[in-house]
Amino acid sequence: MNTGRMFIGGEWVDSCSGQMRSITDPANQQLINRVPEADQDDVNRAIAAARTAFDKGPWRQTTAQDRGKILFAVGQKIRERAVELAELEVKNCGKPLAEAQFDIQDAANCFEFYGGLATKIHGETMSVPADSLSFVLREPIGVCGQIIPWNYPLVMAAWKLAPALAAGNTCVLKPSELTPLTALELAKIFCEVELPPGVVNVVTGPGPGCGEVLASSPFVDKVAFTGGTATGQKVMAGVAKELKRISLELGGKSPNIVFADADREAAVDGALFAAFANQGEVCSAGSRLLVEESIHREFIAQMLAKIPKIKLGHGLIAGTKMGPLISYAQLEKVESYVKIGVEEGAKLLCGGKRPKGLEAGFFFEPTIFDGVTPKMRIAREEIFGPVLSILTFKDEAEAIAMANDTEYGLAAGVWTKDIHRSLRLVRGLRAGIVWVNAYHPTYNELPWGGYKKSGLGRELGLHGIEEYLETKQVNFHGDPAPINWY
Ligand code: NAD
C-alpha cells in the first residue's frame, strides 16, 4: 500500500504541514499504519484538482459506456482483492471478518450496479410549442465533496463514489480520520483502472478543518455527508452559505416491533442481529425493541439464552461475533449511556460492562435494558454501540405511536405473520426503510435514507444517482423567426 500518502490529483502526496496520524487497531491498539493529517490547505488542493478535472479534464467528455466500464473494472478489482481488503477493514474498524467480507462484496456490487446505470441516465422530450423541440438533459453537478463515517468505511466510500462517477462528477472523498485505510486502497484501484487524474481525490484528515472546508468551499458544487445528526446540521449550515446541493445520511434510533404472532425463533434472532451486528455501530440498528406485552417475558428469556453465543474478540479470530468499538471515546460514550439507563430506572438484563481478558481493546459486552419507557434517554438518543432498550406495547396502535415517537426516521422492523397488519405497519411507520420479518438486509438496487432528522435525500438505487444529476430544460427552435414583440 502507499504508506503515509493520500491521493490528490492522481498523485500520492504528503500533507502540506507534514503532520501524520497513527491509525491503530481498536481490538488491541496496535499501530496499523500512518497517514497524512490533512488540513484546509490539502483539502483546497484536492478541491482544485477535482475542479480542474471537471472543468477542463476529459472526464465530462467520457462516454457513459466508458464510465460504466471503469466502474465495472473497479468492482472487479475489489473482488480480486477481497481477502486483503476484508482483513484491512477488520483491523481498522474492528468488525468481525464475516461482516467485513460481506461489506467488500457489497462495495463491489455497488460499483457494478452504478456501472450499469451510467448508460441509463435518460432525459425526456416533449413538444411544448409545436414548432420547437423541448427536452430535458441530465448533467453531472460538478465537484462533489463526500464525507463518510467509520462504521462501514469501504461501503460508505462506494455508496458515495459510484453514483457520483456514473453521473460524470468529480469527487473529493474524506473518510473518517479513524478509518482511512480501505479508502486509500480504493484510490489505488482507481489508479490501476486509469481513472483520469483529479476525478477522485482522497483526503485523510479530521472533520473540523477538513470536512468543514469541503462543506463551505465555493468551489464544491455538492456535498454528500454520512455521519451523526449533529454533525450533519453543522455541514448543512456550511453548505447554506454557498447554497449548494446537499444530501445527508444521518443517525437513527430505529424501532424493531415484535408481535405475539411472529415466528418466534426468527424474531429472537432478528432482534439480536438488529441490535448487535457491527457492535451496534449501525445507523439503522434496531436499538429500540418493542415487544407485545403478552410475550414479553418469554421473548426476553429466549434472547438472553442466546447472548453467550455472541463471542467477543478480534474480528480476525474464527468464531468472533462481536468486535471492539471504534475508539476509547466511543467506549466511554456507551458506558455513560449504561449509567444513564440505570439512573433512569431501566433494568439491566445483561452486559453493561467491559469484558474481562480483552482490556487491550475497546470491547463492550452486548447489553440489554428492560423496563424502558419512551421518555428515557436510552429510548430516545442514538448510543451507537451494543445497547438494546426493550419497551412493551399492548396493541398495534400503541406500537405504531411508540415507534414513531422519535426525532429520527431511518429504519424500522416488524415481525408478524399477519399480512394485513404488516401492511398497515408499513404505511404507519415514519421511516425510510421498513423490514418485515427481517432486519438489516440492504440492497444496492433500493433507495436508502431517512425521514425526519435521519437525513435528506436518498443513496443507492435509481434514486441515488438523482442526487448527483442536474436537470436542464432545453427549448430548441430549429427555424428561428423574429417574434416581433417590439
Ligand atoms: P461523525 O458525524 O462524528 O463524523 C462523520 C464524518 O464527518 C467524519 O468523516 C468526520 O471527520 C466528519 N466531520 C466531523 N465533524 C465535521 C464537521 N464539523 N464538518 C464536516 N465534517 C465533519 O459520525 P461518526 O461518529 O463518524 O459516525 C457515526 C454516525 O454516523 C452515527 O450517527 C450514524 O448513525 C451515522 N451513520 C449514518 C448512516 C446512514 O446511512 N444514515 C450510515 C452510517 C453512519
Side-chain angles (χ1 to χ4, degrees), residues 147-151 156 174-177 206-208 211-212 225-228 231 234-235 249-252 283 382 384 410 448 454:
I147 304 169
I148 54 174
W150 43 257
N151 59 341
M156 292 291 108
K174 194 205 86 59
S176 164
E177 55 275 34
E212 275 173 358
F225 172 83
T226 299
T231 319
K234 283 188 205 159
V235 168
E249 298 291 344
L250 307 176
C283 51
E382 186 183 47
F384 221 58
L410 188 55
W448 178 272
S454 287

PDB file of all heavy atoms in Angstrom, residues 147-151 156 174-177 206-208 211-212 225-228 231 234-235 249-252 283 382 384 410 448 454, ligand 1:
ATOM      1  N   ILE A 147     -18.225  13.144   2.529  1.00  0.00           N
ATOM      2  CA  ILE A 147     -17.703  12.961   3.892  1.00  0.00           C
ATOM      3  C   ILE A 147     -18.358  11.716   4.484  1.00  0.00           C
ATOM      4  O   ILE A 147     -19.588  11.611   4.503  1.00  0.00           O
ATOM      5  CB  ILE A 147     -18.049  14.195   4.757  1.00  0.00           C
ATOM      6  CG1 ILE A 147     -17.504  15.469   4.098  1.00  0.00           C
ATOM      7  CG2 ILE A 147     -17.515  14.042   6.175  1.00  0.00           C
ATOM      8  CD1 ILE A 147     -18.020  16.770   4.715  1.00  0.00           C
ATOM      9  N   ILE A 148     -17.532  10.774   4.966  1.00  0.00           N
ATOM     10  CA  ILE A 148     -18.113   9.494   5.412  1.00  0.00           C
ATOM     11  C   ILE A 148     -17.631   9.109   6.831  1.00  0.00           C
ATOM     12  O   ILE A 148     -16.596   9.576   7.282  1.00  0.00           O
ATOM     13  CB  ILE A 148     -17.806   8.353   4.409  1.00  0.00           C
ATOM     14  CG1 ILE A 148     -16.291   8.231   4.134  1.00  0.00           C
ATOM     15  CG2 ILE A 148     -18.566   8.584   3.107  1.00  0.00           C
ATOM     16  CD1 ILE A 148     -15.933   7.031   3.269  1.00  0.00           C
ATOM     17  N   PRO A 149     -18.388   8.229   7.482  1.00  0.00           N
ATOM     18  CA  PRO A 149     -18.065   7.823   8.869  1.00  0.00           C
ATOM     19  C   PRO A 149     -17.184   6.578   8.922  1.00  0.00           C
ATOM     20  O   PRO A 149     -16.727   6.086   7.889  1.00  0.00           O
ATOM     21  CB  PRO A 149     -19.447   7.530   9.440  1.00  0.00           C
ATOM     22  CG  PRO A 149     -20.210   6.965   8.288  1.00  0.00           C
ATOM     23  CD  PRO A 149     -19.666   7.633   7.046  1.00  0.00           C
ATOM     24  N   TRP A 150     -17.004   6.059  10.136  1.00  0.00           N
ATOM     25  CA  TRP A 150     -16.049   4.968  10.346  1.00  0.00           C
ATOM     26  C   TRP A 150     -16.682   3.595  10.448  1.00  0.00           C
ATOM     27  O   TRP A 150     -15.973   2.589  10.570  1.00  0.00           O
ATOM     28  CB  TRP A 150     -15.228   5.225  11.611  1.00  0.00           C
ATOM     29  CG  TRP A 150     -16.013   5.723  12.796  1.00  0.00           C
ATOM     30  CD1 TRP A 150     -16.049   7.014  13.244  1.00  0.00           C
ATOM     31  CD2 TRP A 150     -16.883   4.987  13.676  1.00  0.00           C
ATOM     32  NE1 TRP A 150     -16.888   7.129  14.327  1.00  0.00           N
ATOM     33  CE2 TRP A 150     -17.411   5.894  14.622  1.00  0.00           C
ATOM     34  CE3 TRP A 150     -17.267   3.651  13.760  1.00  0.00           C
ATOM     35  CZ2 TRP A 150     -18.299   5.522  15.627  1.00  0.00           C
ATOM     36  CZ3 TRP A 150     -18.163   3.266  14.754  1.00  0.00           C
ATOM     37  CH2 TRP A 150     -18.665   4.200  15.679  1.00  0.00           C
ATOM     38  N   ASN A 151     -18.004   3.494  10.435  1.00  0.00           N
ATOM     39  CA  ASN A 151     -18.578   2.170  10.743  1.00  0.00           C
ATOM     40  C   ASN A 151     -18.600   1.210   9.554  1.00  0.00           C
ATOM     41  O   ASN A 151     -18.559   0.001   9.740  1.00  0.00           O
ATOM     42  CB  ASN A 151     -19.970   2.309  11.383  1.00  0.00           C
ATOM     43  CG  ASN A 151     -20.954   3.038  10.511  1.00  0.00           C
ATOM     44  OD1 ASN A 151     -20.572   3.767   9.581  1.00  0.00           O
ATOM     45  ND2 ASN A 151     -22.221   2.874  10.790  1.00  0.00           N
ATOM     46  N   MET A 156     -19.297   2.768   2.591  1.00  0.00           N
ATOM     47  CA  MET A 156     -19.715   4.177   2.520  1.00  0.00           C
ATOM     48  C   MET A 156     -19.001   4.898   1.375  1.00  0.00           C
ATOM     49  O   MET A 156     -19.595   5.740   0.689  1.00  0.00           O
ATOM     50  CB  MET A 156     -19.426   4.898   3.842  1.00  0.00           C
ATOM     51  CG  MET A 156     -20.279   4.441   4.997  1.00  0.00           C
ATOM     52  SD  MET A 156     -22.009   4.904   4.837  1.00  0.00           S
ATOM     53  CE  MET A 156     -22.754   3.327   4.488  1.00  0.00           C
ATOM     54  N   LYS A 174     -13.621  12.400   1.802  1.00  0.00           N
ATOM     55  CA  LYS A 174     -12.938  12.476   3.095  1.00  0.00           C
ATOM     56  C   LYS A 174     -13.450  11.346   3.988  1.00  0.00           C
ATOM     57  O   LYS A 174     -14.536  11.417   4.543  1.00  0.00           O
ATOM     58  CB  LYS A 174     -13.189  13.823   3.794  1.00  0.00           C
ATOM     59  CG  LYS A 174     -12.214  14.023   4.945  1.00  0.00           C
ATOM     60  CD  LYS A 174     -12.713  14.942   6.012  1.00  0.00           C
ATOM     61  CE  LYS A 174     -13.550  14.279   7.058  1.00  0.00           C
ATOM     62  NZ  LYS A 174     -12.923  13.188   7.830  1.00  0.00           N
ATOM     63  N   PRO A 175     -12.644  10.283   4.088  1.00  0.00           N
ATOM     64  CA  PRO A 175     -13.050   9.217   5.022  1.00  0.00           C
ATOM     65  C   PRO A 175     -12.940   9.704   6.458  1.00  0.00           C
ATOM     66  O   PRO A 175     -12.333  10.754   6.721  1.00  0.00           O
ATOM     67  CB  PRO A 175     -12.032   8.105   4.746  1.00  0.00           C
ATOM     68  CG  PRO A 175     -10.907   8.720   4.010  1.00  0.00           C
ATOM     69  CD  PRO A 175     -11.350  10.030   3.442  1.00  0.00           C
ATOM     70  N   SER A 176     -13.505   8.943   7.373  1.00  0.00           N
ATOM     71  CA  SER A 176     -13.312   9.277   8.784  1.00  0.00           C
ATOM     72  C   SER A 176     -11.815   9.252   9.089  1.00  0.00           C
ATOM     73  O   SER A 176     -11.081   8.398   8.583  1.00  0.00           O
ATOM     74  CB  SER A 176     -14.032   8.264   9.665  1.00  0.00           C
ATOM     75  OG  SER A 176     -13.553   8.378  10.995  1.00  0.00           O
ATOM     76  N   GLU A 177     -11.388  10.156   9.934  1.00  0.00           N
ATOM     77  CA  GLU A 177      -9.971  10.204  10.318  1.00  0.00           C
ATOM     78  C   GLU A 177      -9.541   8.914  11.014  1.00  0.00           C
ATOM     79  O   GLU A 177      -8.361   8.589  11.062  1.00  0.00           O
ATOM     80  CB  GLU A 177      -9.683  11.424  11.213  1.00  0.00           C
ATOM     81  CG  GLU A 177     -10.532  11.554  12.468  1.00  0.00           C
ATOM     82  CD  GLU A 177     -11.871  12.251  12.220  1.00  0.00           C
ATOM     83  OE1 GLU A 177     -12.452  12.091  11.132  1.00  0.00           O
ATOM     84  OE2 GLU A 177     -12.319  12.973  13.129  1.00  0.00           O
ATOM     85  N   PRO A 206      -9.235  15.267   9.729  1.00  0.00           N
ATOM     86  CA  PRO A 206     -10.360  15.353  10.658  1.00  0.00           C
ATOM     87  C   PRO A 206     -11.548  16.154  10.109  1.00  0.00           C
ATOM     88  O   PRO A 206     -11.416  16.844   9.090  1.00  0.00           O
ATOM     89  CB  PRO A 206      -9.746  16.078  11.853  1.00  0.00           C
ATOM     90  CG  PRO A 206      -8.672  16.929  11.259  1.00  0.00           C
ATOM     91  CD  PRO A 206      -8.147  16.188  10.064  1.00  0.00           C
ATOM     92  N   GLY A 207     -12.675  16.039  10.820  1.00  0.00           N
ATOM     93  CA  GLY A 207     -13.863  16.798  10.411  1.00  0.00           C
ATOM     94  C   GLY A 207     -13.627  18.291  10.481  1.00  0.00           C
ATOM     95  O   GLY A 207     -13.661  18.989   9.454  1.00  0.00           O
ATOM     96  N   PRO A 208     -13.348  18.794  11.691  1.00  0.00           N
ATOM     97  CA  PRO A 208     -13.035  20.216  11.771  1.00  0.00           C
ATOM     98  C   PRO A 208     -11.745  20.466  10.989  1.00  0.00           C
ATOM     99  O   PRO A 208     -10.773  19.732  11.150  1.00  0.00           O
ATOM    100  CB  PRO A 208     -12.824  20.460  13.273  1.00  0.00           C
ATOM    101  CG  PRO A 208     -13.464  19.284  13.948  1.00  0.00           C
ATOM    102  CD  PRO A 208     -13.362  18.139  13.005  1.00  0.00           C
ATOM    103  N   GLY A 211     -13.404  18.365   6.774  1.00  0.00           N
ATOM    104  CA  GLY A 211     -14.804  18.221   6.362  1.00  0.00           C
ATOM    105  C   GLY A 211     -15.464  19.583   6.247  1.00  0.00           C
ATOM    106  O   GLY A 211     -16.207  19.859   5.299  1.00  0.00           O
ATOM    107  N   GLU A 212     -15.172  20.444   7.203  1.00  0.00           N
ATOM    108  CA  GLU A 212     -15.768  21.791   7.207  1.00  0.00           C
ATOM    109  C   GLU A 212     -15.444  22.549   5.928  1.00  0.00           C
ATOM    110  O   GLU A 212     -16.282  23.267   5.395  1.00  0.00           O
ATOM    111  CB  GLU A 212     -15.175  22.591   8.382  1.00  0.00           C
ATOM    112  CG  GLU A 212     -15.876  22.371   9.684  1.00  0.00           C
ATOM    113  CD  GLU A 212     -15.139  23.051  10.844  1.00  0.00           C
ATOM    114  OE1 GLU A 212     -14.063  23.651  10.628  1.00  0.00           O
ATOM    115  OE2 GLU A 212     -15.648  22.973  11.941  1.00  0.00           O
ATOM    116  N   PHE A 225     -23.002  13.817   2.720  1.00  0.00           N
ATOM    117  CA  PHE A 225     -22.469  13.566   4.063  1.00  0.00           C
ATOM    118  C   PHE A 225     -23.157  12.362   4.688  1.00  0.00           C
ATOM    119  O   PHE A 225     -24.382  12.239   4.620  1.00  0.00           O
ATOM    120  CB  PHE A 225     -22.707  14.798   4.945  1.00  0.00           C
ATOM    121  CG  PHE A 225     -22.373  14.562   6.398  1.00  0.00           C
ATOM    122  CD1 PHE A 225     -21.067  14.675   6.852  1.00  0.00           C
ATOM    123  CD2 PHE A 225     -23.369  14.212   7.304  1.00  0.00           C
ATOM    124  CE1 PHE A 225     -20.746  14.427   8.186  1.00  0.00           C
ATOM    125  CE2 PHE A 225     -23.063  13.965   8.639  1.00  0.00           C
ATOM    126  CZ  PHE A 225     -21.753  14.076   9.079  1.00  0.00           C
ATOM    127  N   THR A 226     -22.389  11.505   5.312  1.00  0.00           N
ATOM    128  CA  THR A 226     -22.946  10.458   6.193  1.00  0.00           C
ATOM    129  C   THR A 226     -22.258  10.576   7.539  1.00  0.00           C
ATOM    130  O   THR A 226     -21.018  10.599   7.605  1.00  0.00           O
ATOM    131  CB  THR A 226     -22.736   9.049   5.610  1.00  0.00           C
ATOM    132  OG1 THR A 226     -23.403   8.971   4.346  1.00  0.00           O
ATOM    133  CG2 THR A 226     -23.310   7.990   6.520  1.00  0.00           C
ATOM    134  N   GLY A 227     -23.049  10.646   8.583  1.00  0.00           N
ATOM    135  CA  GLY A 227     -22.486  10.760   9.924  1.00  0.00           C
ATOM    136  C   GLY A 227     -23.590  11.091  10.913  1.00  0.00           C
ATOM    137  O   GLY A 227     -24.779  10.893  10.633  1.00  0.00           O
ATOM    138  N   GLY A 228     -23.207  11.604  12.051  1.00  0.00           N
ATOM    139  CA  GLY A 228     -24.165  11.920  13.104  1.00  0.00           C
ATOM    140  C   GLY A 228     -25.053  13.105  12.724  1.00  0.00           C
ATOM    141  O   GLY A 228     -24.665  13.952  11.925  1.00  0.00           O
ATOM    142  N   THR A 231     -23.546  16.554  13.508  1.00  0.00           N
ATOM    143  CA  THR A 231     -22.523  16.947  12.526  1.00  0.00           C
ATOM    144  C   THR A 231     -23.206  17.329  11.211  1.00  0.00           C
ATOM    145  O   THR A 231     -22.814  18.305  10.560  1.00  0.00           O
ATOM    146  CB  THR A 231     -21.519  15.800  12.266  1.00  0.00           C
ATOM    147  OG1 THR A 231     -21.211  15.162  13.490  1.00  0.00           O
ATOM    148  CG2 THR A 231     -20.255  16.309  11.634  1.00  0.00           C
ATOM    149  N   LYS A 234     -24.280  20.807  11.222  1.00  0.00           N
ATOM    150  CA  LYS A 234     -23.163  21.747  11.013  1.00  0.00           C
ATOM    151  C   LYS A 234     -22.799  21.791   9.534  1.00  0.00           C
ATOM    152  O   LYS A 234     -22.529  22.851   8.971  1.00  0.00           O
ATOM    153  CB  LYS A 234     -21.929  21.298  11.795  1.00  0.00           C
ATOM    154  CG  LYS A 234     -22.009  21.585  13.266  1.00  0.00           C
ATOM    155  CD  LYS A 234     -20.651  21.270  13.910  1.00  0.00           C
ATOM    156  CE  LYS A 234     -20.841  20.951  15.375  1.00  0.00           C
ATOM    157  NZ  LYS A 234     -19.755  20.196  15.956  1.00  0.00           N
ATOM    158  N   VAL A 235     -22.753  20.620   8.899  1.00  0.00           N
ATOM    159  CA  VAL A 235     -22.408  20.564   7.471  1.00  0.00           C
ATOM    160  C   VAL A 235     -23.437  21.352   6.665  1.00  0.00           C
ATOM    161  O   VAL A 235     -23.102  22.130   5.777  1.00  0.00           O
ATOM    162  CB  VAL A 235     -22.327  19.085   7.000  1.00  0.00           C
ATOM    163  CG1 VAL A 235     -22.255  18.983   5.488  1.00  0.00           C
ATOM    164  CG2 VAL A 235     -21.111  18.405   7.635  1.00  0.00           C
ATOM    165  N   GLU A 249     -27.065  11.578   5.165  1.00  0.00           N
ATOM    166  CA  GLU A 249     -27.469  10.280   5.737  1.00  0.00           C
ATOM    167  C   GLU A 249     -27.048  10.321   7.196  1.00  0.00           C
ATOM    168  O   GLU A 249     -25.853  10.291   7.500  1.00  0.00           O
ATOM    169  CB  GLU A 249     -26.745   9.132   5.016  1.00  0.00           C
ATOM    170  CG  GLU A 249     -27.058   9.020   3.540  1.00  0.00           C
ATOM    171  CD  GLU A 249     -28.477   8.573   3.254  1.00  0.00           C
ATOM    172  OE1 GLU A 249     -29.139   8.065   4.172  1.00  0.00           O
ATOM    173  OE2 GLU A 249     -28.916   8.745   2.112  1.00  0.00           O
ATOM    174  N   LEU A 250     -28.023  10.387   8.102  1.00  0.00           N
ATOM    175  CA  LEU A 250     -27.685  10.697   9.498  1.00  0.00           C
ATOM    176  C   LEU A 250     -28.055   9.565  10.455  1.00  0.00           C
ATOM    177  O   LEU A 250     -28.193   8.421  10.044  1.00  0.00           O
ATOM    178  CB  LEU A 250     -28.371  12.017   9.871  1.00  0.00           C
ATOM    179  CG  LEU A 250     -28.068  13.181   8.890  1.00  0.00           C
ATOM    180  CD1 LEU A 250     -28.846  14.425   9.259  1.00  0.00           C
ATOM    181  CD2 LEU A 250     -26.579  13.463   8.816  1.00  0.00           C
ATOM    182  N   GLY A 251     -28.207   9.915  11.696  1.00  0.00           N
ATOM    183  CA  GLY A 251     -28.359   8.906  12.737  1.00  0.00           C
ATOM    184  C   GLY A 251     -29.751   8.313  12.829  1.00  0.00           C
ATOM    185  O   GLY A 251     -30.654   8.641  12.052  1.00  0.00           O
ATOM    186  N   GLY A 252     -29.929   7.424  13.798  1.00  0.00           N
ATOM    187  CA  GLY A 252     -31.227   6.792  13.974  1.00  0.00           C
ATOM    188  C   GLY A 252     -31.417   6.231  15.372  1.00  0.00           C
ATOM    189  O   GLY A 252     -30.468   6.165  16.178  1.00  0.00           O
ATOM    190  N   CYS A 283     -26.123   2.745  11.737  1.00  0.00           N
ATOM    191  CA  CYS A 283     -27.101   3.842  11.748  1.00  0.00           C
ATOM    192  C   CYS A 283     -28.522   3.321  11.866  1.00  0.00           C
ATOM    193  O   CYS A 283     -29.362   3.927  12.510  1.00  0.00           O
ATOM    194  CB  CYS A 283     -26.950   4.679  10.484  1.00  0.00           C
ATOM    195  SG  CYS A 283     -26.966   3.687   8.987  1.00  0.00           S
ATOM    196  N   GLU A 382     -29.388   8.250  20.173  1.00  0.00           N
ATOM    197  CA  GLU A 382     -28.578   7.244  19.482  1.00  0.00           C
ATOM    198  C   GLU A 382     -27.331   6.960  20.315  1.00  0.00           C
ATOM    199  O   GLU A 382     -26.530   7.859  20.575  1.00  0.00           O
ATOM    200  CB  GLU A 382     -28.172   7.759  18.098  1.00  0.00           C
ATOM    201  CG  GLU A 382     -27.460   6.704  17.279  1.00  0.00           C
ATOM    202  CD  GLU A 382     -26.977   7.199  15.930  1.00  0.00           C
ATOM    203  OE1 GLU A 382     -26.365   8.286  15.878  1.00  0.00           O
ATOM    204  OE2 GLU A 382     -27.193   6.503  14.929  1.00  0.00           O
ATOM    205  N   PHE A 384     -25.169   4.189  19.595  1.00  0.00           N
ATOM    206  CA  PHE A 384     -24.187   3.726  18.606  1.00  0.00           C
ATOM    207  C   PHE A 384     -23.185   2.755  19.236  1.00  0.00           C
ATOM    208  O   PHE A 384     -21.973   2.911  19.140  1.00  0.00           O
ATOM    209  CB  PHE A 384     -23.467   4.919  17.965  1.00  0.00           C
ATOM    210  CG  PHE A 384     -23.272   4.721  16.472  1.00  0.00           C
ATOM    211  CD1 PHE A 384     -24.352   4.514  15.643  1.00  0.00           C
ATOM    212  CD2 PHE A 384     -22.011   4.726  15.901  1.00  0.00           C
ATOM    213  CE1 PHE A 384     -24.192   4.311  14.276  1.00  0.00           C
ATOM    214  CE2 PHE A 384     -21.829   4.525  14.539  1.00  0.00           C
ATOM    215  CZ  PHE A 384     -22.929   4.321  13.723  1.00  0.00           C
ATOM    216  N   LEU A 410     -34.985   6.601  10.353  1.00  0.00           N
ATOM    217  CA  LEU A 410     -34.179   5.908   9.348  1.00  0.00           C
ATOM    218  C   LEU A 410     -34.799   4.559   8.971  1.00  0.00           C
ATOM    219  O   LEU A 410     -35.101   4.318   7.804  1.00  0.00           O
ATOM    220  CB  LEU A 410     -32.741   5.724   9.849  1.00  0.00           C
ATOM    221  CG  LEU A 410     -31.766   5.175   8.805  1.00  0.00           C
ATOM    222  CD1 LEU A 410     -31.755   6.027   7.546  1.00  0.00           C
ATOM    223  CD2 LEU A 410     -30.356   5.076   9.366  1.00  0.00           C
ATOM    224  N   TRP A 448     -31.834   4.175  -0.073  1.00  0.00           N
ATOM    225  CA  TRP A 448     -31.501   4.152   1.356  1.00  0.00           C
ATOM    226  C   TRP A 448     -31.510   5.595   1.872  1.00  0.00           C
ATOM    227  O   TRP A 448     -30.868   6.468   1.281  1.00  0.00           O
ATOM    228  CB  TRP A 448     -30.112   3.561   1.553  1.00  0.00           C
ATOM    229  CG  TRP A 448     -29.661   3.532   2.979  1.00  0.00           C
ATOM    230  CD1 TRP A 448     -29.000   4.517   3.658  1.00  0.00           C
ATOM    231  CD2 TRP A 448     -29.857   2.465   3.904  1.00  0.00           C
ATOM    232  NE1 TRP A 448     -28.784   4.119   4.948  1.00  0.00           N
ATOM    233  CE2 TRP A 448     -29.300   2.861   5.132  1.00  0.00           C
ATOM    234  CE3 TRP A 448     -30.457   1.206   3.815  1.00  0.00           C
ATOM    235  CZ2 TRP A 448     -29.312   2.051   6.257  1.00  0.00           C
ATOM    236  CZ3 TRP A 448     -30.467   0.411   4.940  1.00  0.00           C
ATOM    237  CH2 TRP A 448     -29.905   0.824   6.148  1.00  0.00           C
ATOM    238  N   SER A 454     -33.173  11.885  10.342  1.00  0.00           N
ATOM    239  CA  SER A 454     -32.243  10.851   9.853  1.00  0.00           C
ATOM    240  C   SER A 454     -31.692  11.187   8.480  1.00  0.00           C
ATOM    241  O   SER A 454     -30.876  10.416   7.952  1.00  0.00           O
ATOM    242  CB  SER A 454     -32.931   9.478   9.838  1.00  0.00           C
ATOM    243  OG  SER A 454     -33.075   9.008  11.166  1.00  0.00           O
TER     244      SER A 454
HETATM  245  P1  NAD B   1     -19.492  11.967  12.786  1.00  0.00           P
HETATM  246  O1  NAD B   1     -20.668  12.813  12.484  1.00  0.00           O
HETATM  247  O2  NAD B   1     -18.719  12.224  14.010  1.00  0.00           O
HETATM  248  O3  NAD B   1     -18.425  12.004  11.591  1.00  0.00           O
HETATM  249  C1  NAD B   1     -18.783  11.676  10.263  1.00  0.00           C
HETATM  250  C2  NAD B   1     -17.787  12.317   9.325  1.00  0.00           C
HETATM  251  O4  NAD B   1     -17.926  13.726   9.422  1.00  0.00           O
HETATM  252  C3  NAD B   1     -16.325  12.008   9.627  1.00  0.00           C
HETATM  253  O5  NAD B   1     -15.615  11.880   8.416  1.00  0.00           O
HETATM  254  C4  NAD B   1     -15.870  13.252  10.376  1.00  0.00           C
HETATM  255  O6  NAD B   1     -14.486  13.503  10.255  1.00  0.00           O
HETATM  256  C5  NAD B   1     -16.666  14.333   9.669  1.00  0.00           C
HETATM  257  N1  NAD B   1     -16.892  15.547  10.453  1.00  0.00           N
HETATM  258  C6  NAD B   1     -16.874  15.710  11.796  1.00  0.00           C
HETATM  259  N2  NAD B   1     -17.138  16.998  12.115  1.00  0.00           N
HETATM  260  C7  NAD B   1     -17.327  17.657  10.944  1.00  0.00           C
HETATM  261  C8  NAD B   1     -17.638  18.996  10.610  1.00  0.00           C
HETATM  262  N3  NAD B   1     -17.803  19.918  11.540  1.00  0.00           N
HETATM  263  N4  NAD B   1     -17.781  19.317   9.309  1.00  0.00           N
HETATM  264  C9  NAD B   1     -17.637  18.388   8.345  1.00  0.00           C
HETATM  265  N5  NAD B   1     -17.321  17.104   8.600  1.00  0.00           N
HETATM  266  C10 NAD B   1     -17.185  16.733   9.889  1.00  0.00           C
HETATM  267  O7  NAD B   1     -20.036  10.460  12.734  1.00  0.00           O
HETATM  268  P2  NAD B   1     -19.240   9.156  13.058  1.00  0.00           P
HETATM  269  O8  NAD B   1     -19.057   9.089  14.529  1.00  0.00           O
HETATM  270  O9  NAD B   1     -18.071   9.029  12.152  1.00  0.00           O
HETATM  271  O10 NAD B   1     -20.315   8.052  12.583  1.00  0.00           O
HETATM  272  C11 NAD B   1     -21.391   7.695  13.346  1.00  0.00           C
HETATM  273  C12 NAD B   1     -22.657   8.386  12.898  1.00  0.00           C
HETATM  274  O11 NAD B   1     -22.869   8.156  11.500  1.00  0.00           O
HETATM  275  C13 NAD B   1     -23.889   7.828  13.579  1.00  0.00           C
HETATM  276  O12 NAD B   1     -24.715   8.885  14.000  1.00  0.00           O
HETATM  277  C14 NAD B   1     -24.573   7.009  12.491  1.00  0.00           C
HETATM  278  O13 NAD B   1     -25.955   6.863  12.681  1.00  0.00           O
HETATM  279  C15 NAD B   1     -24.229   7.786  11.275  1.00  0.00           C
HETATM  280  N6  NAD B   1     -24.340   6.953  10.075  1.00  0.00           N
HETATM  281  C16 NAD B   1     -25.421   7.127   9.252  1.00  0.00           C
HETATM  282  C17 NAD B   1     -25.582   6.319   8.138  1.00  0.00           C
HETATM  283  C18 NAD B   1     -26.781   6.460   7.234  1.00  0.00           C
HETATM  284  O14 NAD B   1     -26.771   5.877   6.165  1.00  0.00           O
HETATM  285  N7  NAD B   1     -27.811   7.196   7.635  1.00  0.00           N
HETATM  286  C19 NAD B   1     -24.617   5.354   7.847  1.00  0.00           C
HETATM  287  C20 NAD B   1     -23.527   5.207   8.695  1.00  0.00           C
HETATM  288  C21 NAD B   1     -23.394   6.022   9.809  1.00  0.00           C
END
